[in-house]
Amino acid sequence: MTESEEIKFMQEAIKLSVINVEEGKGGPFGAIVVKDGKIIAYGANSVTATNDPTAHAEVVAIRNACNTLQTFQLDGCDIYTSCEPCPMCLGAIYWARPARLFYANSKEDAAAIQFDDKFIYEEIAKPIDQRQLFTKQLLRSEALEAFVKWRDSNLKAEY
């Protein structure tokens, strides 16, 4: 893919972020998924519109792309997002396994307008018992049954 094509796709993700703000649909974030030089999915932040804290632009675009491709991985795809992904979106991107990721605004740019993920990055790095969110492990030995069944299953789709 040429740099001019990469720029064209990034401009599309940025355009989604601007339109999203202008239409009052959510935060200033847009993302697209590209495969074989064609846009196959779009996503814009719709957290407040859908009352879904996971409806970030990248997650929406990934869901739409996987639906379009009828697969749970984005092999051979590129993701273009108007801002450096937050920890949740970065995790989702890694799980989706695209070939490449491109972003425009930085996480510092996002923090400057009160979209600051620093707290989450810091919390993830802490031992569980030092995090601000109370977290307690329960019934591990009972829960391991599902893991054993998964390990031994002939019905599973590996990912």
Side-chain angles (χ1 to χ4, degrees), residues 98-116:
R100 302 183 306 167
L101 169 66
F102 299 88
Y103 70 93
N105 290 318
S106 69
K107 61 185 174 186
E108 292 80 16
D109 297 328
I113 60 164
Q114 273 60 70
F115 287 95
D116 193 352

Side-chain angles (χ1 to χ4, degrees), residues 33-118:
V33 178
V34 174
K35 185 170 179 80
D36 300 326
K38 294 182 181 137
I39 298 172
I40 61 163
Y42 298 83
N45 179 286
S46 60
V47 169
T48 56
T50 61
N51 295 316
D52 179 355
T54 69
H56 291 200
E58 298 91 336
V59 172
V60 172
I62 289 168
R63 289 174 182 161
N64 291 337
C66 288
N67 187 51
T68 295
L69 296 173
Q70 291 296 289
T71 184
F72 54 86
Q73 291 185 181
L74 298 178
D75 298 325
C77 293
D78 294 333
I79 296 178
Y80 291 80
T81 180
S82 65
C83 187
E84 185 175 356
C86 75
M88 176 186 71
C89 292
L90 189 58
I93 290 165
Y94 271 96
W95 280 117
R97 295 176 174 86
R100 302 183 306 167
L101 169 66
F102 299 88
Y103 70 93
N105 290 318
S106 69
K107 61 185 174 186
E108 292 80 16
D109 297 328
I113 60 164
Q114 273 60 70
F115 287 95
D116 193 352
D117 301 324
K118 182 179 177 191

Side-chain angles (χ1 to χ4, degrees), residues 1-15 32 34 37-39 80:
M1 188 167 308
T2 67
E3 187 171 346
S4 68
E5 289 173 309
E6 293 170 354
I7 289 169
K8 175 184 79 166
F9 290 131
M10 184 56 74
Q11 287 171 332
E12 191 67 25
I14 293 167
K15 183 170 115 182
I32 63 169
V34 174
K38 294 182 181 137
I39 298 172
Y80 291 80

